[in-house]
Structures are given as C-alpha cells and as structure tokens.
Amino acid sequence: MCENSVNVPQLKLSVGQVDDAIALSQQWLEQLHHLADHGKKPEASAELAQAGVLLGEARAKLDDAIAALEGRTASPDVTVELV
C-alpha cells in the first residue's frame, strides 16, 4: 500500500535486502579478522573487528527504520547513517 507516494511494503523489503547484504559482509569481515589475527597482524585484525562492529551498528539502525515503518517505535525521527 502506498503512503505519500511511498510503497511501504516494498521499502521494507528493500531495507531487508540491504540488511542481508550487510550481514554477509559482516560475516566476511569476521573471517578476515580471524585470518589477520592468526597471521600475527594485530593492527589489521583490530581494524577489521571494528569494521564488523560498525556494520552491526548499521544493521541495528536498519532494524529501527523497519520498526518505524511498521509504527513500532516511539521516536518518529529514525535516521539511517552511512558508515
């Protein structure tokens, strides 16, 4: 159903697809983090781990956005930020 020229179900589906893509990237980063850690590259390992954490934060923002689209949030000012 369209609301204000926006197809909300399609938007929710698209946000879900972005979340899936980020989840896959997060898994790859976790593998790279462990690879760097086992390869005695602690600086690279730490940076990769931090990137994974940031992707987790991005996924939480996407969950908040879906909740806002469904009307399940107390805050109407949900924003999604590029990390």
Side-chain angles (χ1 to χ4, degrees), residues 61-77:
K61 292 286 189 180
L62 292 175
D63 287 342
D64 292 345
I66 288 178
L69 288 169
E70 294 174 343
R72 295 184 289 120
T73 181
S75 172
D77 297 328

Side-chain angles (χ1 to χ4, degrees), residues 9-82:
Q10 185 177 14
L11 181 58
K12 285 173 38 181
L13 179 65
S14 295
V15 171
Q17 290 172 333
V18 170
D19 183 54
D20 291 345
I22 292 174
L24 181 59
S25 296
Q26 199 174 15
Q27 289 175 354
W28 288 343
L29 279 171
E30 182 70 18
Q31 291 175 4
L32 293 173
H33 155 66
H34 289 300
L35 181 63
D37 190 45
H38 294 305
K40 306 288 190 255
K41 301 293 183 187
E43 296 85 9
S45 176
E47 294 296 332
L48 291 166
Q50 184 60 33
V53 169
L54 291 172
L55 288 182
E57 292 173 10
R59 292 186 69 206
K61 292 286 189 180
L62 292 175
D63 287 342
D64 292 345
I66 288 178
L69 288 169
E70 294 174 343
R72 295 184 289 120
T73 181
S75 172
D77 297 328
V78 174
T79 60
V80 178
E81 300 172 12
L82 180 64

